[in-house]
């Protein structure tokens, strides 16, 4: 029984030590928007993302936006009126090409008939 428990603990330790899990953070800012994009790399072909989009421009009022962040896009999202921001999560992929540290991620945000595009880079 002791040997089995030790074997299970040893195998668990090896699996945890070999885990490829890592987090990459990308940021960028345009004239009216700033974006933080976090890629959670689960393995060499699996990731999920979190993002925060913040309005930094001068026009007052609630913003409803459409956006593309890398491979993630959404339409008709409304910013939180107190923080002028939107947080969420995007694509979770398995069997995909995952984000790399030296990647540049294109962000395009469209609102009120206007559009802004800029690049996010890792810190």
């Amino acid at each position: 029984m002791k040997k089995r428990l030790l074997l299970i603990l040893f195998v668990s330790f090896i699996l945890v030590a070999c885990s490829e899990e890592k987090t990459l953070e990308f940021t960028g800012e345009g004239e009216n928007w700033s974006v933080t994009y976090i890629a959670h790399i689960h393995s060499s072909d699996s990731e999920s993302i979190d993002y925060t989009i913040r309005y930094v421009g001068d026009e007052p009022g609630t913003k409803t936006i459409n956006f593309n962040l890398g491979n993630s896009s959404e339409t008709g999202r409304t910013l939180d009126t107190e923080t002028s921001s939107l947080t969420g999560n995007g694509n979770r992929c398995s069997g995909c090409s995952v984000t790399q540290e030296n990647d540049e991620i294109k962000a395009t945000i469209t609102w009120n008939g206007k559009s802004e595009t800029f690049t996010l880079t890792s810190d």
Side-chain angles (χ1 to χ4, degrees):
M1 183 69 168
K2 243 184 189 179
K3 287 183 180 182
R4 183 179 291 177
L5 180 60
L6 286 173
L7 178 62
I8 290 171
L9 287 172
F10 179 73
V11 170
S12 297
F13 176 75
I14 294 298
L15 289 175
V16 169
C18 294
S19 173
E20 296 179 44
E21 186 94 19
K22 69 178 178 177
T23 301
L24 300 174
E25 182 173 322
F26 295 80
T27 57
E29 188 167 317
E31 187 176 321
N32 295 286
W33 300 94
S34 74
V35 175
T36 301
Y37 177 103
I38 301 172
H40 304 280
I41 313 300
H42 306 293
S43 68
S44 63
D45 67 350
S46 175
E47 77 175 1
S48 58
I49 65 165
D50 295 315
Y51 57 82
T52 300
I53 301 171
R54 182 175 319 280
Y55 182 71
V56 295
D58 295 329
E59 290 180 23
T62 303
K63 305 284 184 278
T64 300
I65 64 171
N66 301 329
F67 66 87
N68 292 313
L69 297 176
N71 294 326
S72 185
S73 64
E74 294 194 34
T75 58
R77 297 290 307 268
T78 303
L79 302 179
D80 179 283
T81 54
E82 288 183 32
T83 62
S84 296
S85 67
L86 168 68
T87 58
N89 50 41
N91 295 346
R92 178 176 180 96
C93 68
S94 184
C96 61
S97 175
V98 298
T99 305
Q100 302 297 314
E101 195 168 348
N102 60 346
D103 285 351
E104 292 185 343
I105 298 168
K106 181 179 172 183
T108 301
I109 302 168
T110 306
W111 78 106
N112 297 342
K114 301 174 186 175
S115 184
E116 185 170 276
T117 300
F118 51 94
T119 302
L120 312 178
T121 56
S122 63
D123 296 334

